[in-house]
Amino acid sequence: MGERFIEGWIFLAGMLAIVVLLGIIFILLKEGLPVFSHTKPWDFLFGTRWYPLADPPVFGITPFFVSTLMITLISTAVAVPIGVACAAYLSEVAPRKVSETVKPIIEILAGIPSVMMGFIGLALLSPFVQSLFNLPIGLCGLTAAIMLSLMSLPIIVSVSEDALHAVPKEFKEASYALGATRWETVWHVCIPSALSGIAAAIMLGVGRAIGETMTVLMVAGNALAVPVSPTDPMTTMTAAIANGIGNAVRGGPQYQAIFAIGLVLFILTLAVNIIAERVLERQKRKFAR
Amino acid sequence: MATAILNSRKITQQTAFIFLALATVVTVTPVLFIIIYTTVKGGGAISWDFISQFPSQAGRAGGILPAIIGTFYLMLGTLVFALPIGVLAGIYLTEYARDNWLTRLINLAIINLAGVPSIVFGLFGLSVFVLAFQFGLSLLAASLTLAAQALAMVITTSREALLAVPREFREGSLAIGVTKWQTVRHIVLPQAFPGIITGAVLAISRAAGETAPILVVGAAFLLPAVPLSPLDQFMALPYHLYTAAAHVPNMPEETIWGIALVLLVVVLSFDILAAIIRIKTRQRK
């Protein structure tokens, strides 16, 4: 009896991850889909104006979508070369002592709260960006993207490093035997062999950047126009949710529109994560023996 | 001729390695800079009064006691909800689940749950815990929301810790007629304990720094009292930092850095605690 009882609980706990995930999907659909009773799907996805307080209110998420896209692309473009180079250094070049000191520091970076990064961007990076590009205000997409690139570095470094470590020793030995230098081996053998793992690292970094809220909320400038240049102030999808949810009346049009943004965000990150997972699986199988 | 080529290849290698090292420096420097700079700028604000007093003048003066207490309660709440369920789920996956579609579905759910943006967890918590369950904008609703977010991590680390327990331990126990649950309870769990605790500590460190979900489920910037019941509203360090830095005009700079420093110390000390437990257990084995 006692045993059956506890095993029942174990089973229920096992199911909970599914329940929570389905619960999230259900809530986003239930609260978000009614937005289409007053806004056409086309106008919602491709409308360039977001006026929740106008009469009638207008909900077009293009400004947020473009902001998210721009910031994510820039932060990824900055973080990937640095992250992969760092991973290559740690796994192929650095003396053991150096990599053993550096790795915990990178882990600390992963642990720094995003609100802290937002504050650093606000207090230190934005005045710098402002004077560098001669901007009226330093809170813009570029500043946010730089902070985000820093935040996605730990995951890119650690997943890329795992991928580089998984490259069989025989590959490198064969390369040395042909007379290649260590660098030629890293560049022509290690990195190409680990490419799918590195791709997964990039996808995970992208997923992190798309979903990040506090840093972009504090640093990106919160303008509602569709951004044209990286130095424009902007509002990402996550920041739009954070900005709007406090004023939205439960069940009202704005409330629905915000949950619908959440739905779009959820689908985007889900797609990115599933791709990353697929690629990672393939990488694991590649060198499995 | 041949030596010239060899030399140029050597030079290429040197140059490339310098760039790789440079990338590492670029990754590491900001971390050290953030920690040192925050300590220097915020150190002056830290005093006994700062951590033991209520804020006054809209947070511009006084201390941050209620934010510290609120964050402590949130960590506790996350732990209370996420740890037992996460560990039981880990036990299900390692000890009971067969390799079938249901198990694959659970694993898929865990992976994807880990990638859901924190603000979406906030919307989930608002709709389910705050409104549907009628917990209101409360410590309870926020703890449940953070626990839902921590779940994937606690399950994953528990599963890994349980998987690391050698098969012989279980077989030995089962062979002398002990039931499956008793084996798990008295043989497997104690062995996996350090790993599980490491995951739990990391999860509450994450919960302490998390801002977006509690912003949605109703953290408050200023409250006259510390929460006395789980259904009370609460203040929290990360939300306090966000509001002080982004929304309060004429906030003394040193105070903001002081809040940042306290938050950083709370979060990083739990991260370091997790690292110490991990290293200690590795040495023991």
Side-chain angles (χ1 to χ4, degrees):
Chain A
M1 163 60 195
E3 181 117 359
R4 268 290 145 82
F5 180 73
I6 191 75
E7 286 180 353
W9 280 107
I10 288 174
F11 178 75
L12 286 180
M15 293 302 113
L16 198 66
I18 298 181
V19 173
V20 174
L21 191 68
L22 289 179
I24 291 173
I25 296 171
F26 172 75
I27 294 294
L28 293 175
L29 291 173
K30 174 177 163 278
E31 310 277 7
L33 283 186
V35 78
F36 299 127
S37 65
H38 51 81
T39 305
K40 288 196 205 84
W42 180 271
D43 294 341
F44 179 74
L45 290 174
F46 301 106
T48 56
R49 292 174 311 148
W50 176 268
Y51 298 145
L53 300 177
D55 189 28
V58 183
F59 301 108
I61 65 165
T62 298
F64 312 140
F65 189 82
V66 174
S67 301
T68 294
L69 197 70
M70 214 182 247
I71 290 177
T72 303
L73 281 180
I74 299 171
S75 83
T76 309
V78 174
V80 165
I82 298 175
V84 174
C86 180
Y89 182 75
L90 292 178
S91 95
E92 309 297 330
V93 184
R96 219 186 140 84
K97 262 199 175 148
V98 173
S99 63
E100 270 173 11
T101 327
V102 168
K103 277 188 218 169
I105 299 179
I106 296 177
E107 265 176 55
I108 292 178
L109 179 60
I112 296 179
S114 64
V115 65
M116 184 71 203
M117 297 305 253
F119 173 52
I120 297 288
L122 195 69
L124 302 180
L125 186 64
S126 77
F128 178 72
V129 170
Q130 182 179 7
S131 65
L132 191 68
F133 292 93
N134 234 332
L135 302 170
I137 184 164
L139 300 176
C140 65
L142 182 66
T143 317
I146 296 172
M147 290 317 291
L148 279 193
S149 65
L150 198 55
M151 296 171 73
S152 48
L153 271 175
I155 188 138
I156 295 179
V157 173
S158 84
V159 178
S160 303
E161 215 206 325
D162 287 346
L164 287 166
H165 261 298
V167 175
K169 224 163 106 194
E170 291 83 348
F171 284 29
K172 286 186 238 171
E173 281 162 359
S175 169
Y176 294 142
L178 290 171
T181 63
R182 275 168 73 204
W183 163 246
E184 285 160 352
T185 306
V186 170
W187 183 245
H188 293 290
V189 176
C190 295
I191 291 182
S193 311
L195 212 55
S196 51
I198 293 171
I202 295 169
M203 293 306 285
L204 289 171
V206 166
R208 175 93 20 124
I210 294 175
E212 175 47 49
T213 308
M214 292 320 291
T215 310
V216 288
L217 181 65
M218 295 170 82
V219 168
N222 291 322
L224 289 178
V226 180
V228 181
S229 136
T231 51
D232 285 344
M234 38 183 107
T235 306
T236 61
M237 292 194 282
T238 51
I241 296 173
N243 274 332
I245 195 70
N247 318 318
V249 183
R250 183 190 175 188
Q254 192 184 355
Y255 190 84
Q256 297 162 349
I258 286 171
F259 274 82
I261 299 178
L263 184 60
V264 175
L265 192 61
F266 177 82
I267 293 169
L268 267 180
T269 47
L270 194 71
V272 168
N273 279 307
I274 288 177
I275 296 172
E277 197 50 41
R278 279 277 161 83
V279 178
L280 217 51
E281 275 302 309
R282 197 184 320 153
Q283 164 88 10
K284 267 185 203 142
R285 251 178 295 147
K286 196 160 138 194
F287 298 127
R289 275 172 290 183
Chain B
M1 182 64 186
T3 42
I5 292 172
L6 200 60
N7 265 337
S8 87
R9 288 169 66 198
K10 274 250 165 75
I11 291 166
T12 313
Q13 162 152 321
Q14 286 303 331
T15 324
F17 281 3
I18 287 171
F19 272 103
L20 296 189
L22 218 58
T24 309
V25 172
V26 168
T27 309
V28 169
T29 314
V31 191
L32 301 175
F33 175 77
I34 289 172
I35 292 172
I36 294 167
Y37 196 85
T38 309
T39 311
V40 171
K41 291 279 271 189
I46 308 294
S47 64
W48 176 244
D49 282 353
F50 189 67
I51 55 171
S52 68
Q53 296 285 316
F54 273 70
S56 56
Q57 294 171 40
R60 293 187 193 93
I64 54 169
L65 175 71
I68 297 174
I69 291 182
T71 287
F72 174 73
Y73 282 154
L74 282 179
M75 293 164 89
L76 200 66
T78 307
L79 193 68
V80 165
F81 292 119
L83 184 60
I85 296 175
V87 173
L88 286 182
I91 291 175
Y92 175 75
L93 287 170
T94 52
E95 315 294 326
Y96 289 92
R98 299 193 182 88
D99 186 18
N100 57 16
W101 63 271
L102 186 63
T103 309
R104 279 195 291 275
L105 200 65
I106 295 174
N107 285 323
L108 193 70
I110 295 169
I111 289 166
N112 287 307
L113 214 50
V116 172
S118 58
I119 190 91
V120 172
F121 275 104
L123 292 179
F124 173 72
L126 175 67
S127 185
V128 174
F129 303 128
V130 175
L131 298 172
F133 290 3
Q134 301 190 337
F135 293 150
L137 302 172
S138 65
L139 207 47
L140 180 61
S143 300
L144 285 166
T145 307
L146 291 177
Q149 192 180 0
L151 192 62
M153 185 177 182
V154 179
I155 297 178
T156 315
T157 47
S158 304
R159 181 178 55 191
E160 243 136 63
L162 290 161
L163 276 178
V165 179
R167 187 167 265 280
E168 291 78 9
F169 281 65
R170 298 178 178 86
E171 283 162 356
S173 170
L174 291 170
I176 57 167
V178 178
T179 62
K180 186 156 192 177
W181 165 245
Q182 293 295 335
T183 303
V184 172
R185 165 78 185 75
H186 296 289
I187 308 292
V188 184
L189 262 188
Q191 287 289 321
F193 189 69
I196 292 172
I197 290 301
T198 309
V201 171
L202 279 178
I204 59 171
S205 151
R206 204 64 34 98
E210 201 57 84
T211 321
I214 62 170
L215 179 142
V216 178
V217 298
F221 177 57
L222 290 171
L223 288 174
V226 295
L228 295 173
S229 115
L231 291 173
D232 284 345
Q233 256 201 299
F234 60 96
M235 292 171 63
L237 277 174
Y239 186 71
H240 202 66
L241 174 60
Y242 163 64
T243 320
H247 289 301
V248 181
N250 304 324
M251 190 79 188
E253 207 180 312
E254 194 179 50
T255 310
I256 313 180
W257 284 103
I259 302 168
L261 180 57
V262 174
L263 176 66
L264 207 55
V265 167
V266 170
V267 171
L268 293 187
S269 57
F270 277 86
D271 284 346
I272 291 167
L273 179 65
I276 291 173
I277 300 174
R278 203 167 46 199
I279 292 164
K280 278 267 154 77
T281 24
R282 206 176 291 155
Q283 279 168 351
R284 212 181 50 193
K285 273 175 187 165

